[in-house]
Amino acid sequence: MKRRTFIQALSAAGALGFMGPDAAKALVPNGYTGPLLLQVQADGGWDVTSYCDPKTNQPGAPIITNWSKSLEPGQAGGITYAPFANNEWFFKRHHQRMLVINGIDLQTNSHTTGVLHNWSGRNAEGYPSLTALFAAHHAPDVPMPYINFGGFGATENVIGFTRLQDNPELLKSVLDPNLNFYHRPNEHWDYEGPVTLRRNEDLSLIQRYRSHRQERLTSSIPAQTREFNNLNAYIDAVQNREPLRQFSPYLPDEEETAAPIEMMHTNLKAQVQIISAAFAAGVTGAADLQLGGFDTHDKHDDLHAPLLTYLNESIDLIWQLAEQGGYADRLTVVIGSDFSRTPHYNSQDGKDHWPIGSVIVMQDHPSWGSQSVGFTDEGHNALRVDPATMLKDANQGTILYPKHVHQTLRRLTGLENTALDFNFPFRSTPVLPIFDA
Amino acid sequence: MKKKCLQTLVLTAILTGTTSLALGQDSFSWDVDGDGKQTPLTDGLLVIRYLFGFTGPSLIQGAVDDQALRQDPTAISAYLDDNQALLDVDGDGKAAPLSDGLIVIRYLFGFSGESLIQNALTQNASRTTSNLIEAYLASHSTESSGNGGNEPTPQSKTLFETDISALLLSRCLGCHYEGGPATATPLRYVPQSDPDYLTKNYDVLVNYITANTSRGETLLAKASGGTAHGGGPVLDSSKDEYAALSRFVDLVTEEKSAGENDSEPVSNAHTTFFKSSKLLAADATLRRATMLLLGRNPSPAERDRLGEGASQDLRAAIRMATQSPEFHEFLIRGANDRLLTDAFVEGIPIEQASIEGNGFYPLGTNAHANAQAKAGERFFHWPKYNHWRWGLARAPLELIAHIVDNDLDYREVLTADYTMMNYAVNDFLNGGAEFDPVDPETFTYCQSQPDEPCYDHRQFKPAKNKGQSLLTEDLQVMETEFQSQRITQHADFIQYPHAGVLNTQAFLNRYPSTETNRNRARARWTFYHFLGIDIEKSAPRTTDPVALADTDNPTLKNPACTVCHQVLDPVAGAFQHYGDVGYYNESWGGLDALPYNYKSAVPDPAQSPTFIDGKEFVVENEEFGPVFETTFDSPAQTVYIRVEFTNDYADEGGDRNAFFDSLSLEGASQSLTIEFENLPEGWRSHGCGGPQWQAYGQYCQGGVVFPVDLDNSGEYTLQLKLRGDQYGGDPVRVLVSVDSDALGPDALRYAEGDTWYKDMRLPGFLSSTVATGEPSLQWLADQLVKDPWFAEAAIKFWWPSLMGTEIVAAPEVIDDEQFDNKLALYEAQQSYIKDMAGQFSVGIAGGVPFNGRDLIIELLVSPWFRLIELAEPDVAANPLGGRRLLTPEELEAKFQQLSGFYWGNANDEFQEWHISGRYTRLAEEFQILYGGIDSRNVTKRTEQITPLMFNIAEKLALETACEVVIRDFQAMPEARRILKRVDALTTPERTFLARTRADIPSSAFDTVIEFSTALSAGEVLVHVSFLNHFGDENGSRNARFDQLVLVAPDGAETIIEFESPPSGTQINGCGHTDETYHQLSCNGSIEVPIPISVSGDYSIRLVAAGEQYGDEPVKVALALTDSDSGEPSLKAQIVDLHHQLLGEVLTIDHKEIAATYELLRDSFISRKSDGLNRVDEWPSQSCPNHAWRDTNLNGEDPSYMKGSWINVLTYLMTDFRFLHE
């Protein structure tokens, strides 16, 4: 049966209207139905003063944002945003799902360290991403527990990650390896049944012998060797792949797939479509999406405006598809970047690296929605907050660091006090009441 | 186990340095934290941080041993403050991080000799030799570190000075000097005229002897004329002089051994790390090496060379393997994994490749214009343009591969005075290399461009860029009718100052610069790739926002920034001649590569040391009217007032300009007014502008400076009348300043002849600065290769591609799980790298210095490559050893070597639009999904297989195993790739006896195929097969069988007519029976049972004819089987397969062989039971990989064994050990 191939008219955001899986096919049999995590990595260092921590020009100070020459920051619920790119549309549309955490000190202006710090919670090597921890705890046995599109993806051996690329057709071609992909049923063929490469009887026979072989290898290879570790990964791969066969129908058809945009480094919308299909199908639990290009050392405004617009459209698409897929109430979205950009322009109209950043956390109908925590001053310096109230406290307060964000995100996502949490502790770090509003 | 936090390890390792400056306190030692030991990563780190100005927690973070006496930063600082003078190691009068600090950290790491002081001595140093430095360092040492220190002079040194040195000078120096006849050996001495000749020559000889255990014997043998000594005998083995040399060798060996026993754990950690561990045997090591390098098992010659597996034979066998052409592909892959320049063949445009109106490349530009004219259109298909792009993109990788593959000095990676060019680059850059034309039939682009010479764009040769020009007034262009340009005149071609990889277009373009980046990315990656130092990663420093907000040139002045930039920026400066995308001296005029904005910028007057005061005015008025005012204090003196327009802007719609009307100055007793159209004597101007009627017009950035004599000391008020032509969004800005010096900030202003920014550090490297006018990148390359870290970086460069994982990073947090084990692993790896780097520098195992092939071989024979299991379990070591996941490229190479073809691309199919001419499914289509890299967005390989990746591996097997089996069985046994021990008719139930094949060229039954064989009593099956059916709308090729005759040993004949075969005959395949024959109209077979009553020699004759069609005659086969089980042959074949595909060496009775045989047998039974006498019955079975090939593959499977072998091959090709090597 040919899957419907209509394309919805472009949404208000301009996003391609891929509708997600049919409601009648909500999940593959025994698919994953637990909590979901999606982290969107804006690579290169986004400018939050033109986004969720707006800053306006001050007399006697260098120009901090060109947009504030003529505009004032906007307000969406409890969130103040910069009226730049399509931010107004985005924040007004999604502020109730959103908590903005501003004034996070990444303690570096190095990309490598910024990425490491923001996504692992530590500026030293050795900790996995929140995505990896989440997948290892909530969804270790699904076919693709942790999907990564090329951004930060340290796992520290708590789980393996599956590398995908933004091409649904290519992905489909290997979800059921025995399908002869050159002879898929379509309007040019009378025969609508599957055309396979080998008989299922033969494959079953091979799999039976393969299983026995794996048992023999497991018992003969010394533990705590690379060979043993890799064998375990191999056995997991063989055993957990079955649901992938049923994943294909949920992926967008070629004509439904968002087209790449020329100046974008990556097709984030296609990544969203693929991950949304994987969430709906129940074959993954967590994923990192990636959009590069934010390292705007020159022509900052010219480059940042379309990037933020595209990022906003992509996040909107995440929620459109989550609603259509029926899993919006299980989804947490975290959006962040290496760090932010200087509170002034350089001689090439660019902005260089600045260690104070922001993170946006989204859920559907959260109690903490439409709020902002953490503070920066007019020069975008981080201000201290009272760890009990999250109010400004210049004297006794603490600077927000990624470890604080990760500590509270672990609680929010059900990782607190788990074995993984204990294995990768943030010592002497309180759980701040970031989400307790 | 030591516990140390090693944050900021690598950079600080370079920077870290030394000792304190106590005021001559005898108790001072390098044990800064007082833990009883002096180690580079605690004490050294503290010293270097101290010298860089660190204080407080940042001084000690991760650098104090938990057993230390001094753990508090205040105590550390106080200790170093008290001993600050002693930190001046080189004796130049001051303690500095990049000279004294660098020397100390090297010393504590164990460096000695030239390696200790390379690039670290300042011009004013009073201790100028390594001997003096080592002696000084040792005088404050608590223990023996490096070769220096307060150790007694080694006996070998004494003997050297008394006896050996004279021998060297008189007998050896004649050939063994730099550039001399024996310069290829590491034994190169300096003459007595060198003030440090004793130490230098001693070091050379000791380094040679200690490089490995056989060197001493080699030295003695050569000295007496043996071992092919080019200089013949120079010492008489019966004389005292030979005995002295022999004694010297013994002493050196003993001292080295003693030193090893005493050395600290860091320096020999790798020798104990693998103690009692299980390592791969030599033959398995050879196989793993050839599989990873070449994608294949060792050849018979390579196995023969391995002999009994002695280590020197293993090296020799691997060396032989590296002579294979596939090694070049490995080198390209491995180099790209680091440099990632293949991003330019994976989609990123290489900006320097433009040849549309490009004045830098007149030859390419005009060739393009000519090609346009010939094509008659602007946009056209021009393969040579792709080849030019690809040639530029691949040049750095090809250079590295060329150097290693040709056993050139590895230092040429940076110092080569040539680049690698393919024919297109050679043409456009006037390279002068000669290329041989190739067969146009193979290269489709030659057919589409028949008038152009036909060359293989994948062939690279060394050549020099003699076709690049500069943009000067000599450049003249002419518009073409295709909106392009032709260059009719240009400046002379430059002699491009090649510096190996560093100034290839791809390297420069892969790390582009900007006006604010100023080549720092290039410097960062230069450090990373060629010194093994990741500066960015080494700087997870706490960044003070106040410091980062600092706009007063923080990279030069702010300690929060200078910690890195002091190291980074001089190297960035060495790239001074290369612009943002990498063009050489790209500025108009060709004198430099500095951006216009910098050249035209108004310098900050506050930077002037004689600055008095200043203010910027925002001039929003278009007419003179408002008064702009500022005040300043000054003594009575002549001051120089600057009025400068700072924000010029213009486009096609308008222009922003500034106009200065008048300036008034009011002091306590002085008042004056200056009209700008009539400036006082001595005024000067910058930028375009000048006096006009009643004002001064400034039309681009710049302004005027003029002197004013102040009569009295005190406060002055300065008032200005200004206006602006407003345009472009911002108001006009005018900067007014007062300075007591006529030149003031002009020292910071660009001047013609400058090639680097005045507000940055001078181009250089560490403590050295490149001389003005010297080619700075070539100079840098020379410095880099002399640095001791260069050799280490080479090991780090190749490590991931050989080991399948990165060198481990230092653990940073003491409380982390497995910290001790991680630290032990880290130290063992660092120890090994250092040791191997030393050998690489002087020549590995008696070889020449810096031989890349030797290095790769040595890594492959090391325990790091051969580890099976550590003696003591160590989770941290899990990334080590064998059975790592093959990359997509490696798996493809393995599959190709196995099958003879590629998945998704026919061998003879040339894909013009792809650089390799080949677009395969595994290495291209599934490159990312199978965990590979695209060198752009995805740059780190996946190290463990995932469900999706297994699916891809299985799809490879499912789509190709069918073709592999059919192709093999169609080939003669000796030509087969894997199924050499069995026939398709060998089954668990029958044994194959004999087979012959023949052409049937005639349409009449006049062809007789005959052969003889011994048969045992019982029943045989005669298999008659038609092998090459062909048909189209015009005809068909068929086989006709008339008669089969079996001649018994006694001459009796059994005659079988095919039109009436005996009972039990089975016909597989389509056809029909005529009156006198049976015709097979498609590939198939006829199996005729014949009882054999008497054992003996039989003769069999087949009479056949062919219905001829197509371009080849009918081909048939005649074979015999008997009813014995083929199990022995089948198992023997399976033993081969396990070895060939999985690397398992098993006996025929091994349980794995039994299991695989059972799979084969079960497959056979199942397929026979279901009557599956074809391997590709639609829709349940298909062999798609050959569907688009011309090859006529025979899918008939009357014995059910092709399908059964396909199952076995699928099983093996998806096995863990097929996918991991």
Side-chain angles (χ1 to χ4, degrees), chain B residues 579-732:
Chain B
D580 288 356
V581 300
Y583 287 117
Y584 180 79
N585 278 357
E586 67 175 25
S587 299
W588 179 256
L591 297 177
D592 57 68
L594 294 168
Y596 172 77
N597 281 348
Y598 165 74
K599 290 180 173 181
S600 61
V602 173
D604 179 3
Q607 301 295 318
S608 166
T610 49
F611 173 71
I612 297 174
D613 213 330
K615 187 170 184 180
E616 183 184 62
F617 297 120
V618 179
V619 184
E620 296 178 312
N621 48 301
E622 295 240 338
E623 301 295 336
F624 294 123
V627 173
F628 298 89
E629 182 177 299
T630 185
T631 59
F632 64 91
D633 290 321
S634 173
Q637 62 179 333
T638 299
V639 297
Y640 296 84
I641 298 177
R642 291 167 180 270
V643 182
E644 300 196 88
F645 171 39
T646 61
N647 64 334
D648 178 46
Y649 177 75
D651 61 21
E652 64 277 5
D655 194 3
R656 183 189 300 152
N657 302 306
F659 296 89
F660 317 145
D661 180 20
S662 63
L663 178 147
S664 302
L665 196 64
E666 282 287 333
S669 59
Q670 185 179 14
S671 176
L672 61 87
T673 297
I674 295 170
E675 299 292 340
F676 276 86
E677 68 273 21
N678 187 23
L679 289 164
E681 189 175 344
W683 70 279
R684 290 181 291 111
S685 66
H686 299 290
C688 47
Q692 54 179 223
W693 184 68
Q694 292 191 337
Y696 186 101
Q698 186 68 32
Y699 306 104
C700 58
Q701 287 177 180
V704 296
V705 185
F706 51 88
V708 174
D709 294 328
L710 302 181
D711 296 340
N712 296 291
S713 173
E715 183 179 90
Y716 287 83
T717 299
L718 190 156
Q719 292 186 324
L720 280 152
K721 286 186 179 177
L722 309 165
R723 76 167 187 85
D725 285 346
Q726 308 295 338
Y727 184 70
D730 285 336
V732 165

Side-chain angles (χ1 to χ4, degrees), chain B residues 402-469:
Chain B
H402 171 77
I403 289 165
V404 176
D405 219 4
N406 290 282
D407 295 308
L408 303 179
D409 190 318
Y410 191 78
R411 289 171 288 193
E412 286 191 20
V413 166
L414 299 185
T415 62
D417 63 348
Y418 58 91
T419 188
M420 300 302 290
M421 297 185 183
N422 67 2
Y423 85 93
V425 178
N426 185 63
D427 278 2
F428 294 170
L429 294 184
N430 195 26
E434 298 287 336
F435 291 83
D436 295 326
V438 293
D439 181 3
E441 291 300 313
T442 309
F443 296 87
T444 48
Y445 51 75
C446 297
Q447 296 162 33
S448 64
Q449 306 282 322
D451 297 336
E452 295 206 10
C454 180
Y455 296 110
D456 183 350
H457 66 275
R458 299 166 300 185
Q459 184 184 26
F460 283 76
K461 291 191 172 182
K464 294 190 178 186
N465 176 357
K466 294 172 287 188
Q468 189 162 333
S469 187

Side-chain angles (χ1 to χ4, degrees), chain B residues 507-835:
Chain B
F507 184 82
L508 293 165
N509 215 162
R510 188 66 181 83
Y511 309 114
S513 192
T514 67
E515 189 179 328
T516 52
N517 181 268
R518 298 182 175 184
N519 289 333
R520 291 184 178 111
R522 290 169 182 155
R524 182 248 164 131
W525 290 107
T526 297
F527 270 103
Y528 181 76
H529 293 313
F530 305 117
L531 293 181
I533 297 161
D534 188 345
I535 286 181
E536 186 173 87
K537 194 174 180 181
S538 302
R541 59 197 178 282
T542 300
T543 306
D544 177 7
V546 175
L548 275 180
D550 183 359
T551 55
D552 183 15
N553 200 353
T555 60
L556 193 64
K557 300 179 179 177
N558 193 317
C561 308
T562 56
V563 60
C564 282
H565 286 278
Q566 189 162 339
V567 180
L568 191 68
D569 287 4
V571 172
F575 282 91
Q576 61 187 324
H577 292 290
Y578 302 89
D580 288 356
V581 300
Y583 287 117
Y584 180 79
N585 278 357
E586 67 175 25
S587 299
W588 179 256
L591 297 177
D592 57 68
L594 294 168
Y596 172 77
N597 281 348
Y598 165 74
K599 290 180 173 181
S600 61
V602 173
D604 179 3
Q607 301 295 318
S608 166
T610 49
F611 173 71
I612 297 174
D613 213 330
K615 187 170 184 180
E616 183 184 62
F617 297 120
V618 179
V619 184
E620 296 178 312
N621 48 301
E622 295 240 338
E623 301 295 336
F624 294 123
V627 173
F628 298 89
E629 182 177 299
T630 185
T631 59
F632 64 91
D633 290 321
S634 173
Q637 62 179 333
T638 299
V639 297
Y640 296 84
I641 298 177
R642 291 167 180 270
V643 182
E644 300 196 88
F645 171 39
T646 61
N647 64 334
D648 178 46
Y649 177 75
D651 61 21
E652 64 277 5
D655 194 3
R656 183 189 300 152
N657 302 306
F659 296 89
F660 317 145
D661 180 20
S662 63
L663 178 147
S664 302
L665 196 64
E666 282 287 333
S669 59
Q670 185 179 14
S671 176
L672 61 87
T673 297
I674 295 170
E675 299 292 340
F676 276 86
E677 68 273 21
N678 187 23
L679 289 164
E681 189 175 344
W683 70 279
R684 290 181 291 111
S685 66
H686 299 290
C688 47
Q692 54 179 223
W693 184 68
Q694 292 191 337
Y696 186 101
Q698 186 68 32
Y699 306 104
C700 58
Q701 287 177 180
V704 296
V705 185
F706 51 88
V708 174
D709 294 328
L710 302 181
D711 296 340
N712 296 291
S713 173
E715 183 179 90
Y716 287 83
T717 299
L718 190 156
Q719 292 186 324
L720 280 152
K721 286 186 179 177
L722 309 165
R723 76 167 187 85
D725 285 346
Q726 308 295 338
Y727 184 70
D730 285 336
V732 165
R733 290 174 183 270
V734 173
L735 186 60
V736 179
S737 63
V738 183
D739 198 298
S740 61
D741 188 276
L743 294 176
D746 285 348
L748 303 173
R749 190 188 300 272
Y750 163 80
E752 187 168 301
D754 286 357
T755 53
W756 191 234
Y757 299 90
K758 280 200 161 104
D759 55 353
M760 282 187 72
R761 290 175 177 80
L762 293 173
F765 177 61
L766 299 180
S767 61
S768 303
T769 302
V770 61
T772 302
E774 188 169 353
S776 54
L777 203 58
Q778 290 180 329
W779 175 91
L780 174 67
D782 286 339
Q783 302 304 308
L784 292 172
V785 300
K786 288 175 187 168
D787 192 278
W789 268 277
F790 175 76
E792 293 189 14
I795 297 163
K796 295 176 182 175
F797 190 91
W798 291 105
W799 188 280
S801 55
L802 295 170
M803 308 299 176
T805 189
E806 296 280 345
I807 288 170
V808 298
E812 297 177 46
V813 180
I814 198 166
D815 295 324
D816 278 0
E817 291 282 317
Q818 291 273 322
F819 179 87
D820 286 348
N821 286 337
K822 289 178 180 174
L823 183 61
L825 173 61
Y826 167 79
E827 290 188 335
Q829 283 193 349
Q830 294 300 314
S831 162
Y832 173 78
I833 290 167
K834 186 174 181 308
D835 192 20

Side-chain angles (χ1 to χ4, degrees), chain B residues 290-308:
Chain B
T290 59
M291 200 53 88
L292 292 176
L293 297 182
L294 317 172
R296 62 165 172 79
N297 284 288
S299 69
E302 288 154 8
R303 276 196 293 266
D304 289 347
R305 187 64 192 83
L306 184 63
E308 297 299 313

Side-chain angles (χ1 to χ4, degrees), chain A residues 148-181:
Chain A
N148 176 281
F149 280 87
F152 181 79
T155 65
E156 300 303 326
N157 292 321
V158 301
I159 195 84
F161 69 69
T162 299
R163 176 68 51 69
L164 292 186
Q165 60 189 121
D166 46 23
N167 183 344
E169 280 300 292
L170 189 65
L171 180 59
K172 281 184 207 174
S173 74
V174 290
L175 292 176
D176 183 349
N178 196 36
L179 275 185
N180 187 335
F181 210 63

